[in-house]
Amino acid sequence: MQALTFKRGVHPPDGKALSCDKAIEVVAPKEDSELFYPMSQHIGAPCAPIVAVGDHVKVGQKIADSSAFLCCPIFASVSGEVVAIRPMLVPGGAMVNSIVVKNDGKMEEIEGLNVGRDYEAMSNQEILDAIKGAGVVGLGGAGFPTHVKLNPPKDTPIDHILINAAECEPYLTCDYRLMLEESDRIVKGLQIMLKLHPDAKGVIGIEMNKPLAIEAMTKACEGIDNIYVQPLVTKFPQGSEKHLIVAITGREVKSGALPASAGCIVDNVDTVLAVERAIVKGRPLMRRVVTISGKGIKNPGNYKIRLGMTLRDLVDAVGGFNEEELAPVKLIAGGPMMGPTLYTLDVASVKTTSGLLCFTKEEAYIPPEKNCIRCGKCVDHCPMGLMPFMLNACALRGDGEGFVAHHGLDCIECGSCSYECPAKRQLAQSIRATKKIEMGKKAAAAAAARAKAEAEAKAKADAEAAKN
């Protein structure tokens, strides 16, 4: 089968050799260690604690929730005492109110855990409720609540469910190992999702640099008519939702629209596995697989962790850092193209924590920034067809209107422009910062408009009431 792809993009060294052959190992938190559960681990409204300091919690117990439409509950991954509710740093750099549980080491589970169901005997609403009730969100990075994604408006029929198995970020291999070790369960999770959309077909998109994964997943799909594996060209950002849709279906998702508008739902490999676990095993999202890599770590590999562990405890559990010339000088949460740099390991692991990269001075080296040489490479390689040099100029002079006019809000923050820039301009960084500012302005304007409309409606209703 021909490998498919999208226009433009970049080809960074993949760096996956450090961990791709390392089977997934389970890392358990130490007794008496503290685990942190931030109230915001997904796109949408944050949760609120439903436990108090001094409470004893068990594995699988819901400890935070919200009645908001776009939200997912949070569960304790260990048993122990709630010792605090306070702000904690998360990988994205924000301080988020968090429930702190001191692990008692007993791993006591709540009653009713591990009670699975036959998805074929469940209604669509029961499946969606179970996925929501298990706290499943997109584990590829964005953290969009999965039950919402799987239930688009009735006027947007779905004919493709695409599994993002590209894992195009350099160094990360956690999804790759899951495909080798849990291929049958991944396919089962996709079958559950397809029950919600019986007219759709499931396509598992895997880059050509993962031949063993292509082989394993193809074998797991044998005899299933509506699921197949689609090889993809090895290129970044092949795993972006919009570009995966273009590559596999040829359809374009318009600016500001969701994948469902193109008849597609896109989910990550580990997300599909979380769906299978929620339905078949009856377990909520309490764990994920994380790649720890880079020459600065003693034992690079793929580790199954309990959510809430700090990255410091995780590094200690896998053997710690190398020393002297191989000591890490840069830590990155996630992949090197899009992951944020960390200034401390006292950070909570959350649902979207896919990796921790520990780069030595050699690996982390970036040449000094120079003046733009007008080469146009950032334009040639931008997967969104934008003009990063122009967006960078708008960002540097604080021209928000110009930034928006040049479609800066359509930037997917992939970093391809910075990677290809021979002058090593900090294009992606400046665009990302300005995009955040302009998105904030847009949200504030929308909130003000809603408030004004509500006030006018209330005034009109009061006037009508006064007349009567």
Side-chain angles (χ1 to χ4, degrees):
M1 187 181 294
Q2 179 184 0
L4 304 177
T5 192
F6 61 96
K7 293 181 180 179
R8 297 178 289 273
V10 296
H11 298 84
D14 70 14
K16 297 180 185 287
L18 287 170
S19 59
C20 67
D21 294 329
K22 303 291 182 66
I24 297 170
E25 296 182 37
V26 175
V27 174
K30 288 184 178 180
E31 185 176 348
D32 292 332
S33 63
E34 291 184 342
L35 281 78
F36 297 81
Y37 302 92
M39 295 295 94
S40 184
Q41 301 189 34
H42 50 264
I43 289 176
C47 290
I50 56 175
V51 293
V53 174
D55 287 354
H56 179 80
V57 299
K58 296 182 179 180
V59 175
Q61 179 177 336
K62 186 191 298 185
I63 57 176
D65 203 355
S66 169
S67 60
F69 170 71
L70 204 59
C71 189
C72 266
I74 296 168
F75 298 83
S77 58
V78 297
S79 59
E81 181 184 351
V82 177
V83 295
I85 298 177
R86 62 175 178 82
M88 178 63 176
L89 191 67
V90 296
M95 294 292 289
V96 179
N97 199 38
S98 305
I99 297 170
V100 187
V101 176
K102 187 173 183 180
N103 177 27
D104 62 13
K106 297 178 181 179
M107 290 296 175
E108 295 178 286
E109 297 188 345
I110 61 169
E111 292 184 11
L113 207 60
N114 301 317
V115 178
R117 300 178 65 181
D118 177 6
Y119 75 93
E120 293 182 341
M122 298 171 69
S123 69
N124 285 3
Q125 191 58 54
E126 286 175 330
I127 291 174
L128 291 170
D129 289 345
I131 292 171
K132 177 182 180 180
V136 181
V137 304
L139 301 180
F144 196 93
T146 302
H147 69 281
V148 177
K149 182 180 285 191
L150 290 173
N151 189 29
K154 301 300 182 184
D155 59 350
T156 53
I158 301 300
D159 57 21
H160 282 79
I161 296 181
L162 309 181
I163 304 307
N164 172 17
E167 199 164 44
C168 58
E169 271 276 10
Y171 288 87
L172 300 186
T173 56
C174 46
D175 285 350
Y176 172 71
R177 291 307 312 181
L178 283 171
M179 286 187 282
L180 296 186
E181 300 177 34
E182 302 280 8
S183 53
D184 290 336
R185 292 181 59 197
I186 293 168
V187 170
K188 179 66 70 176
L190 180 51
Q191 288 179 302
I192 293 170
M193 295 163 68
L194 285 168
K195 184 179 185 298
L196 301 172
H197 302 279
D199 295 330
K201 55 184 176 182
V203 186
I204 304 169
I206 309 176
E207 287 188 329
M208 291 295 289
N209 64 344
K210 305 174 183 66
L212 294 181
I214 291 175
E215 180 183 345
M217 294 308 303
T218 300
K219 183 177 180 181
C221 295
E222 287 179 355
I224 303 175
D225 295 337
N226 61 343
I227 298 177
Y228 69 92
V229 172
Q230 174 59 61
L232 303 169
V233 172
T234 304
K235 184 166 63 170
F236 183 87
Q238 185 73 76
S240 159
E241 277 191 334
K242 292 184 177 182
H243 299 93
L244 195 66
I245 291 171
V246 168
I248 294 177
T249 71
R251 302 170 189 169
E252 184 175 343
V253 179
K254 295 180 180 179
S255 176
L258 295 174
S261 66
C264 298
I265 290 173
V266 182
D267 263 312
N268 159 270
V269 168
D270 206 358
T271 309
V272 181
L273 197 56
V275 167
E276 185 270 352
R277 187 182 302 108
I279 304 297
V280 177
K281 293 181 176 291
R283 294 185 70 84
L285 181 57
M286 300 180 291
R287 76 93 186 106
R288 70 155 298 138
V289 179
V290 176
T291 297
I292 304 182
S293 193
K295 295 180 181 178
I297 193 79
K298 288 182 179 178
N299 296 300
N302 303 285
Y303 299 95
K304 184 183 293 186
I305 68 168
R306 297 269 174 166
L307 295 177
M309 287 182 68
T310 66
L311 298 185
R312 185 175 301 280
D313 286 346
L314 178 56
V315 167
D316 290 343
V318 302
F321 295 132
N322 286 319
E323 299 176 356
E324 298 177 357
E325 69 274 4
L326 290 180
V329 300
K330 177 174 283 189
L331 302 173
I332 300 173
M337 296 296 288
M338 299 182 69
T341 300
L342 302 173
Y343 64 86
T344 176
L345 284 174
D346 295 320
V347 177
S349 61
V350 295
K351 295 178 181 181
T352 54
T353 302
S354 58
L356 174 65
L357 304 186
C358 311
F359 282 173
T360 63
K361 186 176 181 179
E362 177 188 9
E363 291 175 303
Y365 175 72
I366 299 176
E369 185 178 20
K370 298 178 182 178
N371 292 330
C372 175
I373 62 173
R374 308 292 192 271
C375 66
K377 282 192 173 184
C378 60
V379 178
D380 292 340
H381 291 275
C382 175
M384 294 301 294
L386 305 178
M387 295 188 290
F389 75 92
M390 183 66 75
L391 297 175
N392 173 246
C394 291
L396 294 179
R397 64 173 179 262
D399 180 9
E401 290 185 6
F403 181 88
V404 174
H406 286 91
H407 308 287
L409 298 184
D410 286 332
C411 172
I412 61 171
E413 304 177 25
C414 68
S416 296
C417 52
S418 293
Y419 177 79
E420 282 295 336
C421 178
K424 294 305 169 189
R425 304 284 295 168
Q426 295 184 10
L427 302 170
Q429 293 88 332
S430 65
I431 294 170
R432 183 181 294 113
T434 304
K435 180 183 172 184
K436 183 176 291 187
I437 292 170
E438 295 305 316
M439 290 290 285
K441 290 179 182 177
K442 186 177 179 180
R450 285 195 301 270
K452 182 180 178 181
E454 290 171 1
E456 290 176 348
K458 185 177 185 303
K460 184 177 180 180
D462 290 346
E464 291 293 331
K467 286 180 183 179
N468 297 329

